[in-house]
Amino acid sequence: MIEKTITSLVEACDPKAAAILQNEDERQTAVLRMIPSENYASPAVRAALASTLSNKYGEGYAGRRYYQGQKNTDAIELLAIERACRLFGYPHANVQALSGAPANLGVYTAFLKPFEGRIMAMRLDHGGHLTHGSPVSVTGQWFEIMHYGCNENDVLDYDEIRRMAIEFKPNVLVCGYTAYPRTIDFAAFGAIAREVGAISLADVSHIAGLIAGGAHPSPFPHIDVVTFTTHKTLRGPRGAIILSQKPEHAEAIDKAVFPGLQGGPHFATIASLAVALHEAESDGFRSYSAQVVKNAQALAAHLMEKGYHVSSGGTDNHLLLVDVRKSASLPGKRVAELLEDVGIVLNFNTVPNASDRQKPLFPDGIRMGTPCLTTRGMKENHMAAVADFIHLAISNMKTGKIEKDDNPWKDPAVTGKLAADIRAFALSFPTFTW
Ligand SMILES: *Cc1c(COP(=O)(O)O)cnc(C)c1O
C-alpha cells in the first residue's frame, strides 16, 4: 500500500524516478533477500521517514538548539532517546549519528587523540567492520590499531584477546561484528577492558534487534559504550544510536557527534527511529527476534546436512557463513552473482581459516541471514526449501574457471526452472506480516 502511494506521488512529478522505485519494490518482493544486514521496515517506520520533519533544521540537542521552531523536533528526539534507553537499559542515548560509520567515528573522536589513540578490534577478514581500524578507513589511518581474529575453530579466543590487550594497552577495546555467527561474551570483553584501563565499545549493528528482542544477551552493564545501526535486525530506518553509561562519556560523545562531526540531525529519521523502537518494545518483536535465530539455525543445519562447510559449525544469531571453496570448490563472489541470477540475494564474504587464495574482493565464502525472510513470515520449515534452492543452484554451477565462463551453469534448463520456482516461492509471502 505504502509502495503504491509513494510511487504514484513520485510518478505525478517524475515518471523516470518513479519507474526505478517501482522496479525496486518489485525486486524486493520477487527475490529471497538474504543479506543479513538488511530488512523490511514496517509501513509505519517508512511513513515517518517521509514526514514533514524532513523539512526542519535544528542543530544542537533538545533544549539547546541553534534554531527557532523546535517544539516538535525536541519532542520527537526526546521520545526516541527515552525509548532507546528503556529498551537497551542504558541511561544515555545519542540518536543523531547519521549511520553506523559516523557513530563509530563519533565514539573514537570523543575519546581518542588522532595519531595517539589505540584501538583494538577484530580483523576485517574474520568479521570485523571497516570502521574497526581497516587501513582503507580513516579509523585505521588516524589511530594505532591492533587486530585480533578467530581461532582455528572460527570462534573468538578470549584468553588470547586478553593476552593481546595486556600487551597492546588499547584505549578502546571493540567487540561486535559484521560477520560473526556466535554469541558475544560481553562480560568477558568488559572485564578485559577494565583490566587494561580501556573503554569498552560494543558495535552491535547486526544484532541490535536480537538484543532488543531478548534473543542475544545484553551488553549492559558490562560494556561502557554501545553503537549500532538501526536498519538491520532492529528493522528501523537507516540511522544509528550510541548508548553510554557514564555522564562524562555521554557528554563527550554528544560533543563529538555535534558539532564535532555533523551539522543538523535528520529529524524524519529520528521520528522513524522512535516508531521502530516502539515496535521493538512489543511482544511481536520478541517473537520475531527469536524466530530469526531459529530460522538461521534451521538453515545452517539443512546446509550442513547437505555437506556445506558452515563456519564455526553453525550459528547462535541471525547469520551464517559458508565456505564455498571448501564446500564446492567455488569462489564466493561468483557463487553470490550466480545465486542472484536465480533470485537469491546474499553477500560474498571472507571466512576465517580460508584457503590462501582468499582476498577481500575474491573471498572463499558467502554470508547469509534470516532477518528479511523472517519479517516475511517464514518459519523453520520454510528454511528446508530455501536450503534446497541454494543447494540446487550451487550443484548446477560449473567449477573450474567459472569467473570467466559465459555459460557458468551445467544445465541452463535446470537454472530456468529454479529461477521460476524461487520467484513463485518468494511471491507467496507478503513483504511485511505484522
Ligand atoms: C553495518 C555496520 C556498520 C556500518 O553502518 P553504515 O550504516 O553502513 O555506516 C558498522 N559496524 C558494523 C559492525 C556493521 O555491521
Side-chain angles (χ1 to χ4, degrees), residues 56-308:
K56 185 67 191 122
Y57 239 111
E59 285 177 347
Y61 292 95
R64 296 173 280 147
R65 306 277 189 199
Y66 293 81
Y67 288 73
Q68 295 310 115
Q70 304 297 338
K71 202 170 145 219
N72 302 310
T73 49
D74 280 8
I76 201 71
E77 185 165 349
L78 291 173
L79 184 64
I81 289 171
E82 176 203 318
R83 288 176 176 169
C85 289
R86 190 166 57 230
L87 193 55
F88 291 92
Y90 276 74
H92 302 284
N94 180 304
V95 297
Q96 292 196 6
L98 298 177
S99 216
N104 285 342
L105 199 56
V107 174
Y108 299 147
T109 54
F111 300 122
L112 304 177
K113 288 204 178 69
F115 311 110
E116 280 182 33
R118 293 176 175 211
I119 299 169
M120 185 169 148
M122 172 86 105
R123 47 193 273 198
L124 188 66
D125 61 345
H126 283 199
H129 190 259
L130 285 167
T131 57
H132 299 175
S134 156
V136 298
S137 149
V138 293
T139 60
Q141 295 159 11
W142 293 354
F143 305 108
E144 208 183 317
I145 306 293
M146 166 79 88
H147 279 134
Y148 57 86
C150 292
N151 67 13
E152 67 283 0
N153 299 319
D154 307 336
V155 294
L156 294 168
D157 176 343
Y158 295 93
D159 292 333
E160 175 63 8
I161 292 166
R162 176 171 175 269
R163 191 195 62 69
M164 289 171 75
I166 289 170
E167 190 187 306
F168 182 61
K169 296 187 183 60
N171 305 107
V172 175
L173 175 63
V174 186
C175 64
Y177 313 104
T178 181
Y180 185 68
R182 293 302 181 174
T183 300
I184 301 166
D185 186 343
F186 293 123
F189 270 104
I192 296 169
R194 278 191 300 279
E195 184 179 353
V196 302
I199 289 172
S200 51
L201 167 63
D203 175 355
V204 300
S205 292
H206 263 261
I207 55 173
L210 304 184
I211 293 169
H216 187 289
S218 168
F220 189 84
H222 313 292
I223 300 290
D224 298 316
V225 179
V226 178
T227 56
F228 55 91
T229 50
T230 48
H231 46 275
K232 297 176 183 173
T233 50
L234 190 60
R235 218 159 59 177
R238 309 195 80 79
I241 294 180
I242 308 172
L243 304 169
S244 54
Q245 302 204 40
K246 298 184 178 144
E248 64 271 26
H249 286 176
E251 197 184 320
I253 290 164
D254 282 350
K255 274 192 192 143
V257 172
F258 174 84
L261 288 169
Q262 294 181 182
H266 294 190
F267 288 114
T269 301
I270 291 172
S272 173
L273 195 51
V275 176
L277 291 166
H278 179 62
E279 288 179 351
E281 288 183 300
S282 67
D283 290 342
F285 195 83
R286 283 189 87 78
S287 29
Y288 166 72
S289 15
Q291 191 64 50
V292 165
V293 176
K294 283 188 221 159
N295 285 353
Q297 289 174 338
L299 183 62
H302 286 302
L303 288 172
M304 287 189 295
E305 220 167 81
K306 295 177 194 302
Y308 287 90

Side-chain angles (χ1 to χ4, degrees), residues 1-2 299 308 337 348-349 352 356 416 423:
M1 196 264 285
I2 188 170
L299 183 62
Y308 287 90
E337 288 167 353
F348 57 90
N349 214 96
D356 49 12
R423 187 184 158 82

